[in-house]
């Protein structure tokens, strides 16, 4: 079956530090990959996505590249801000069939001033 | 355009009581999903509606959970009777089509605490 593995955290960084949250996946076929973010007290928001190998998703300074050879979709940001403090979920959606998103466990990020 | 809306946003009930969660998908979205995140765990799929039909309910934990989508519009998820382990955040989501490139939009979640 499908699975997503990501670091559990929490991750604590100082403002302007570089962020990497690792994500690897197991899936058949060619899934689409996503990062969702949940800010404190809010719902899940789509942060970025990539639908095929070597695609790079980007949004709000965050980037992730779909690496089929390493089955990875690591999230990066060059300079984090306090407002980036949230829980980040890596997810996949398998190609074909009906949509059922498989999520990772979520990584809590805390950015301190 | 309104997003996926869920009600209530928070609910605290006693073990053995009943709770009904409601989800209004984005207008025109035939696909509606329920997910749940128990504290510290992954967000897990519960079920998927296509219009008013249950396409996949393989994630429903047991028969204390009942989901409906009358008329193919809003959906309800009833938990009866609630148990302590049902506490968590229940997310509803919707999408327009079923192709893998379609985006699934999530609501803000209904936070359920069973005491």
């Amino acid at each position: 079956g499908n699975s997503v593995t990501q670091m559990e955290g929490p991750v604590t960084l100082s403002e302007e530090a570089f962020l990497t949250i690792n994500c690897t996946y197991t899936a058949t076929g060619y899934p689409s990959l996503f990062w969702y973010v949940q800010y404190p007290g809010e719902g899940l928001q789509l942060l970025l996505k990539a639908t095929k190998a070597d695609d790079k998703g980007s949004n709000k300074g965050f980037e992730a590249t779909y690496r089929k050879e390493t089955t990875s979709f690591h999230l990066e940001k060059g300079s984090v801000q306090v407002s980036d403090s949230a829980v980040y979920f890596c997810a996949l959606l398998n190609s074909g069939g009906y949509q059922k998103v498989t999520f990772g466990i979520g990584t809590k990020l805390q950015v301190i001033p | 355009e309104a997003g996926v809306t869920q009600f209530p946003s928070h609910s605290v009930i006693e073990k053995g009581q009943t709770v009904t969660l409601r989800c209004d998908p984005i207008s025109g979205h035939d696909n509606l999903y329920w997910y749940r995140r128990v504290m510290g765990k992954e967000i897990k799929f519960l079920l998927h509606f296509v219009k008013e039909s249950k396409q996949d309910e393989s994630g429903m934990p047991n028969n204390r959970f009942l989901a409906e989508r009358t008329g193919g519009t809003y959906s309800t998820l009833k938990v009866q009777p609630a148990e302590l382990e049902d506490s968590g955040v229940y997310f509803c989501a919707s999408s327009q089509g079923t192709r893998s490139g379609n985006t699934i939009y999530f609501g803000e979640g209904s936070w359920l605490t069973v005491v």
Side-chain angles (χ1 to χ4, degrees), chain A residues 36 49 98-101 105, chain B residues 33 35 56 95 99 101 103:
Chain A
Y36 282 87
K49 70 176 183 180
Y98 290 98
Q99 296 180 313
K100 184 190 295 185
V101 180
I105 199 167
Chain B
Y33 314 83
Y35 286 80
D56 182 350
S95 70
R99 290 181 301 160
T103 298

Side-chain angles (χ1 to χ4, degrees), chain A residues 13-74:
Chain A
L13 295 174
S14 297
E15 207 164 21
E16 298 183 2
F18 184 86
L19 168 72
T20 299
I21 301 178
N22 290 338
C23 171
T24 57
Y25 67 90
T26 302
T28 55
Y30 302 93
S32 295
L33 302 174
F34 306 85
W35 277 100
Y36 282 87
V37 59
Q38 185 179 20
Y39 297 103
E42 299 185 14
L44 278 175
Q45 300 176 26
L46 178 64
L47 180 60
L48 54 84
K49 70 176 183 180
T51 57
K52 61 182 187 295
D54 300 325
D55 267 2
K56 178 186 285 188
S58 60
N59 186 24
K60 299 182 180 180
F62 291 89
E63 291 182 342
T65 301
Y66 189 141
R67 302 284 188 202
K68 188 167 175 61
E69 65 275 13
T70 54
T71 61
S72 65
F73 193 55
H74 304 321

Side-chain angles (χ1 to χ4, degrees), chain A residues 8 32 34 36 38 41-44 46 49 51 87 89 93-101 103-106, chain B residues 33 35 37 40-43 45 48 50 55-56 58 91 95 97-104 106-108 111:
Chain A
E8 194 165 338
S32 295
F34 306 85
Y36 282 87
Q38 185 179 20
E42 299 185 14
L44 278 175
L46 178 64
K49 70 176 183 180
T51 57
V87 182
F89 295 91
L93 179 61
N94 231 338
S95 58
Y98 290 98
Q99 296 180 313
K100 184 190 295 185
V101 180
F103 287 90
I105 199 167
Chain B
Y33 314 83
Y35 286 80
R37 187 186 191 211
K41 306 283 189 181
E42 299 94 337
I43 300 172
F45 169 84
H48 171 204
V50 177
Q55 183 61 45
D56 182 350
S58 60
F91 291 104
S95 70
T98 57
R99 290 181 301 160
S100 62
N102 284 322
T103 298
I104 298 179
F106 284 81
E108 295 193 350
W111 303 67

Side-chain angles (χ1 to χ4, degrees), chain B residues 4-16:
Chain B
V4 177
T5 56
Q6 295 186 241
F7 181 84
S9 57
H10 292 80
S11 181
V12 180
I13 62 171
E14 293 184 350
K15 176 182 172 180

Side-chain angles (χ1 to χ4, degrees), chain B residues 3-113:
Chain B
V4 177
T5 56
Q6 295 186 241
F7 181 84
S9 57
H10 292 80
S11 181
V12 180
I13 62 171
E14 293 184 350
K15 176 182 172 180
Q17 288 186 318
T18 298
V19 63
T20 300
L21 311 178
R22 173 172 168 142
C23 169
D24 286 79
I26 292 172
S27 178
H29 283 191
D30 287 341
N31 296 279
L32 187 149
Y33 314 83
W34 284 98
Y35 286 80
R36 174 175 77 167
R37 187 186 191 211
V38 172
M39 192 59 63
K41 306 283 189 181
E42 299 94 337
I43 300 172
K44 294 271 194 181
F45 169 84
L46 296 179
L47 87 159
H48 171 204
F49 283 99
V50 177
K51 296 185 180 178
E52 67 274 9
S53 300
K54 290 177 185 174
Q55 183 61 45
D56 182 350
E57 53 184 330
S58 60
M60 294 288 264
N62 51 62
N63 59 11
R64 295 186 293 104
F65 289 75
L66 175 64
E68 295 180 323
R69 192 183 183 194
T70 306
T73 54
Y74 71 91
S75 174
T76 57
L77 179 65
K78 180 190 289 188
V79 185
Q80 178 183 31
E83 298 289 344
L84 298 179
E85 64 264 25
D86 300 333
S87 297
V89 185
Y90 290 77
F91 291 104
C92 179
S94 73
S95 70
Q96 194 163 31
T98 57
R99 290 181 301 160
S100 62
N102 284 322
T103 298
I104 298 179
Y105 297 89
F106 284 81
E108 295 193 350
S110 288
W111 303 67
L112 173 65
T113 303

